[in-house]
């Protein structure tokens, strides 16, 4: 059987979208391309059956349009095509799927990703897809491929939604994998690995590595809980280390970004992995996400020794009341000490904030901006609160009639649009506040000087200028 896994081209303009299964799709800047590790996981599952032939087309990273994408698909002549989609790219990706279907005879088409996982019936109704993989996708794909090869009905495939005789059928959810070590390493040999670069890695190639799935926290704006579940599941230190070693030695990639909602959640695990990296002298540079209450001095020092160069913190707001309502379950007083100890350990810091959550006012926005400047991380991003499908935030926004824009193209949260107001602020005020926050943080003389001193080549100057213009002056 021939299986094609597709990250579709973006049709409207030259915008590039950072997309990953289980993650949001947000507008990328500075010519950054993120690895399609989720699709590579699916490819590895498909390749378990040696009779299968698998191809990944990452149209975004390869910078090819619809015409060339269609030519490659036609040449491969797949039996099944799985399209990766996200909320802000769903309309675009549906159009790509329709165009491919018109040229592909009896090929079976489906979607995978957090958006369609949270909107299964709607996604099937509004697209020409034959199926949607609902939750954790790997074993569902394996069962689907087996059913296709045997020409049997799909009714027994848990984790699948599909169309049959004009009806939409939603099968029961698939139980989540108990042991993530049982999954094969992603089939990176099918990816254009040399294309995946970003400024944070000095424009050198990087890979993403999924070390855990599931998050025990209940943040109202998070859209990944449904596909991956709330139960925290972590791979063993040995499994993660071996994949890191394969990335470094087989693919020659030194930079790794951990795809874990909270990499530092299990202190013993983090220290053990770091000790293994140090002991084996694995030459890697890596970055990860953390909460402000799950990292301490000893852990930070060990992480730095093991090659960690950047830690991202989702701080979200300068108001404890807003964090409490958003179910962040964190003490804001820990932000300052945590960011400082991370910096002192020698790692860069990246702080994320959200403008426009329930309870947000002009006063709380001011507190958030002042906190960001006080913490003074190396990088900061202020996102727009966006009521993504499947989130508690969407339910709250609908109940209060806050949603003013239902166009999924505008759900990118990066500052291009604001699709939701709240009880105190209009969507326009939220959008203006986000832009003001970005400018007020980055257009300080010491930040400009810091970024200038970090530049090592004319390419760095170009990328920083492009990113800065896009983030600070778009629209």
């Amino acid at each position: 059987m021939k299986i094609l896994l597709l990250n579709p081209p973006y049709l409207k303009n030259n915008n590039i979208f950072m997309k990953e299964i289980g993650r949001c799709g947000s507008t990328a800047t500075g010519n950054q391309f993120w690895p399609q590790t989720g699709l590579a996981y699916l490819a590895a599952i498909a390749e378990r059956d040696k009779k299968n032939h698998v191809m990944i087309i990452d149209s975004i990273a390869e910078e090819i349009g619809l015409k060339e994408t269609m030519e490659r698909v036609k040449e491969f002549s797949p039996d099944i095509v799985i399209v990766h989609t996200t909320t802000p790219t769903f309309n675009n990706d549906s159009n790509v799927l329709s165009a491919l279907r018109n040229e592909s005879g009896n090929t079976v088409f489906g979607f995978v990703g957090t958006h369609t996982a949270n909107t299964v019936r709607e996604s099937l109704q509004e697209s020409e897809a034959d199926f949607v993989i609902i939750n954790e996708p790997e074993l569902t794909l394996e069962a689907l491929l087996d059913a296709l090869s045997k020409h049997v009905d799909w009714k027994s495939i848990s984790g699948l939604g599909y169309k049959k005789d004009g009806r939409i059928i939603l099968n029961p959810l698939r139980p989540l994998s108990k042991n993530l070590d049982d999954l094969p390493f992603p089939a990176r040999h099918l990816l254009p690995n040399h294309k995946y670069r970003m400024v944070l890695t000095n424009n050198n190639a990087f890979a993403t590595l999924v070390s855990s799935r599931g998050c025990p926290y209940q943040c109202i704006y998070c859209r990944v809980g449904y596909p991956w579940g709330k139960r925290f599941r972590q791979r063993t230190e040995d499994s993660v280390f071996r994949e890191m070693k394969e990335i470094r030695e087989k693919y020659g990639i030194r930079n790794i970004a951990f795809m874990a909602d909270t990499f530092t959640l299990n202190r013993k695990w983090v220290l053990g992995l770091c000790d293994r990296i140090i002991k084996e002298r694995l030459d890697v540079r890596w970055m990860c996400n953390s909460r402000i209450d799950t990292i301490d001095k000893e852990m930070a020092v060990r992480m730095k020794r093991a090659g960690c160069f950047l830690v991202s913190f989702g701080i979200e707001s300068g108001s404890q009341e807003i964090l409490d309502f958003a179910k962040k379950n964190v003490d804001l007083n820990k932000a300052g000490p945590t960011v400082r100890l991370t910096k002192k350990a020698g790692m860069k810091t990246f702080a994320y904030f959200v403008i426009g959550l329930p309870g947000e006012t002009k006063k709380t926005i001011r507190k958030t901006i002042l906190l960001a400047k006080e913490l003074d991380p190396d990088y900061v991003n202020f996102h727009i609160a966006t009521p993504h499908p499947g989130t508690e935030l969407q339910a709250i926004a609908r109940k209060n009639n806050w949603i003013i824009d239902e166009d999924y193209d505008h759900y990118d949260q990066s500052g291009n649009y604001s699709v939701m107001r709240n009880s105190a602020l209009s969507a326009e005020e939220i959008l203006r506040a986000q832009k003001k926050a970005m400018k007020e943080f980055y257009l300080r003389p010491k930040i400009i000087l810091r970024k200038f001193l970090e530049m090592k080549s004319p390419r760095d100057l170009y990328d920083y200028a492009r990113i800065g213009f896009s983030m600070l002056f778009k629209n």
Side-chain angles (χ1 to χ4, degrees):
M1 187 181 302
K2 291 184 176 181
I3 301 105
L4 176 67
L5 303 161
L6 176 65
N7 186 24
Y10 193 63
L11 304 179
K12 288 188 176 181
N13 50 42
N14 292 323
N15 282 349
I16 298 166
F17 280 80
M18 294 192 296
K19 298 165 60 180
E20 180 49 68
I21 294 174
R23 297 277 164 178
C24 62
S26 57
T27 309
T29 53
N31 211 33
Q32 302 178 78
F33 300 96
W34 280 69
Q36 291 300 301
T37 307
L39 292 183
Y41 261 115
L42 296 180
I45 287 290
E47 287 188 330
R48 279 177 164 175
D49 186 338
K50 301 304 180 183
K51 297 189 295 293
N52 289 334
H53 300 279
V54 187
M55 172 185 282
I56 297 176
I57 300 178
D58 188 348
S59 301
I60 299 295
E62 296 187 60
E63 300 181 83
I64 60 174
L66 180 61
K67 181 180 179 181
E68 185 173 346
T69 299
M70 292 181 68
E71 289 173 352
R72 292 194 190 182
V73 174
K74 187 174 181 179
E75 181 180 359
F76 185 61
S77 188
D79 299 294
I80 180 173
V81 175
I82 298 179
V83 177
H84 176 211
T85 191
T86 65
T87 300
T89 65
F90 176 71
N91 294 328
N92 173 87
D93 302 337
S94 295
N95 290 333
V96 172
L97 187 151
S98 296
L100 293 173
R101 177 177 280 285
N102 290 337
E103 300 288 333
S104 301
N106 296 321
T107 301
V108 176
F109 287 86
F111 278 123
V112 67
T114 52
H115 174 78
T116 48
N118 284 305
T119 61
V120 182
R121 186 175 295 278
E122 174 190 335
S123 296
L124 288 169
Q125 289 172 338
E126 297 185 0
S127 74
E128 295 186 45
D130 298 298
F131 68 90
V132 165
I133 297 179
I134 302 175
N135 55 333
E136 196 164 49
E138 289 86 5
L139 299 184
T140 298
L141 173 61
E142 192 167 47
L144 176 60
L145 295 179
D146 182 64
L148 286 171
S149 67
K150 296 176 180 176
H151 305 285
V152 299
D153 195 278
W154 296 357
K155 62 183 180 181
S156 64
I157 304 174
S158 57
L160 193 75
Y162 62 100
K163 296 173 182 173
K164 182 179 181 182
D165 301 327
R167 297 181 299 124
I168 292 177
I169 300 172
L170 305 185
N171 290 342
L173 293 180
R174 177 171 296 276
L176 299 174
S177 300
K178 293 181 179 180
N179 185 358
L180 296 179
D181 284 11
D182 290 341
L183 296 176
F185 291 171
R188 291 187 173 88
H189 62 280
L190 298 177
L191 294 174
N193 294 295
H194 63 289
K195 293 283 188 177
Y196 302 126
R197 301 169 184 271
M198 63 175 164
V199 171
L200 293 178
T201 61
N202 299 318
N203 290 306
N204 294 309
F206 77 104
T208 53
L209 192 158
V210 180
S211 59
S212 65
R213 289 178 177 175
C215 180
Y217 298 98
Q218 308 292 322
C219 303
I220 65 173
Y221 46 82
C222 181
R223 89 281 285 158
V224 303
Y226 184 63
W228 303 121
K230 293 296 183 183
R231 183 170 62 86
F232 180 71
R233 294 166 294 142
Q234 192 164 43
R235 294 167 57 188
T236 61
E237 300 161 19
D238 179 67
S239 173
V240 172
F241 177 81
R242 286 188 293 106
E243 186 174 346
M244 294 178 74
K245 188 173 182 180
E246 178 183 91
I247 290 169
R248 184 70 183 99
E249 297 182 355
K250 182 176 180 179
Y251 297 100
I253 299 172
R254 186 175 177 229
N255 298 281
I256 297 172
F258 279 100
M259 301 291 283
D261 292 300
T262 308
F263 178 84
T264 56
L265 192 60
N266 183 339
R267 185 177 189 275
K268 181 180 178 181
W269 182 92
V270 173
L271 295 177
L273 178 63
C274 289
D275 286 344
R276 180 79 178 273
I277 295 170
I278 294 167
K279 180 181 179 181
E280 302 273 351
R281 298 183 178 180
L282 186 63
D283 180 25
V284 289
R285 298 175 72 248
W286 51 276
M287 50 186 158
C288 65
N289 293 335
S290 177
R291 285 169 56 95
I292 58 175
D293 57 355
T294 58
I295 187 171
D296 56 38
K297 180 179 178 180
E298 181 185 3
M299 188 189 299
V301 170
R302 200 85 58 88
M303 287 166 60
K304 170 62 178 177
R305 285 189 60 201
C308 183
F309 68 92
L310 182 144
V311 182
S312 298
F313 297 100
I315 300 173
E316 321 308 4
S317 177
S319 164
Q320 185 66 56
E321 291 76 17
I322 288 177
L323 294 180
D324 292 344
F325 187 88
K327 300 182 180 179
K328 182 70 177 179
N329 191 27
V330 71
D331 181 357
L332 192 56
N333 291 322
K334 295 182 179 180
T338 298
V339 172
R340 286 193 294 271
L341 72 86
T342 305
K343 288 182 177 182
K344 190 173 181 180
M347 295 176 287
K348 293 185 179 297
T349 54
F350 201 139
Y352 288 93
F353 297 92
V354 181
I355 301 293
L357 289 168
E360 191 83 275
T361 64
K362 292 181 179 179
K363 184 177 180 180
T364 60
I365 290 172
R366 191 67 206 154
K367 290 174 69 174
T368 297
I369 295 173
L370 291 176
L371 176 62
K373 293 164 72 173
E374 176 188 339
L375 296 176
D376 197 32
D378 296 276
Y379 306 94
V380 70
N381 209 338
F382 295 89
H383 286 149
I384 299 287
T386 303
H388 283 278
T391 63
E392 187 177 348
L393 179 60
Q394 184 192 59
I396 294 170
R398 288 203 184 283
K399 180 179 179 181
N400 290 281
N401 295 314
W402 289 346
I403 299 176
I404 65 163
D405 188 345
E406 300 278 0
D407 186 348
Y408 285 146
D409 290 356
H410 299 163
Y411 279 52
D412 72 352
Q413 74 186 39
S414 62
N416 289 311
Y417 305 96
S418 178
V419 301
M420 183 186 83
R421 63 182 180 88
N422 68 13
S423 57
L425 300 169
S426 68
E428 292 77 12
E429 288 175 317
I430 291 171
L431 187 60
R432 286 198 299 269
Q434 187 268 352
K435 294 180 184 299
K436 176 179 172 58
M438 292 292 286
K439 291 177 181 178
E440 193 168 329
F441 182 87
Y442 278 110
L443 295 182
R444 293 178 292 160
K446 72 174 184 177
I447 297 296
I448 295 173
L449 177 61
R450 181 193 299 169
K451 298 305 173 190
F452 181 78
L453 293 175
E454 288 177 356
M455 296 178 192
K456 298 179 179 179
S457 68
R459 172 65 184 270
D460 290 343
L461 176 61
Y462 169 78
D463 284 335
Y464 274 119
R466 180 174 175 176
I467 291 173
F469 183 83
S470 176
M471 293 175 69
L472 303 177
F473 302 106
K474 56 192 170 187
N475 290 351

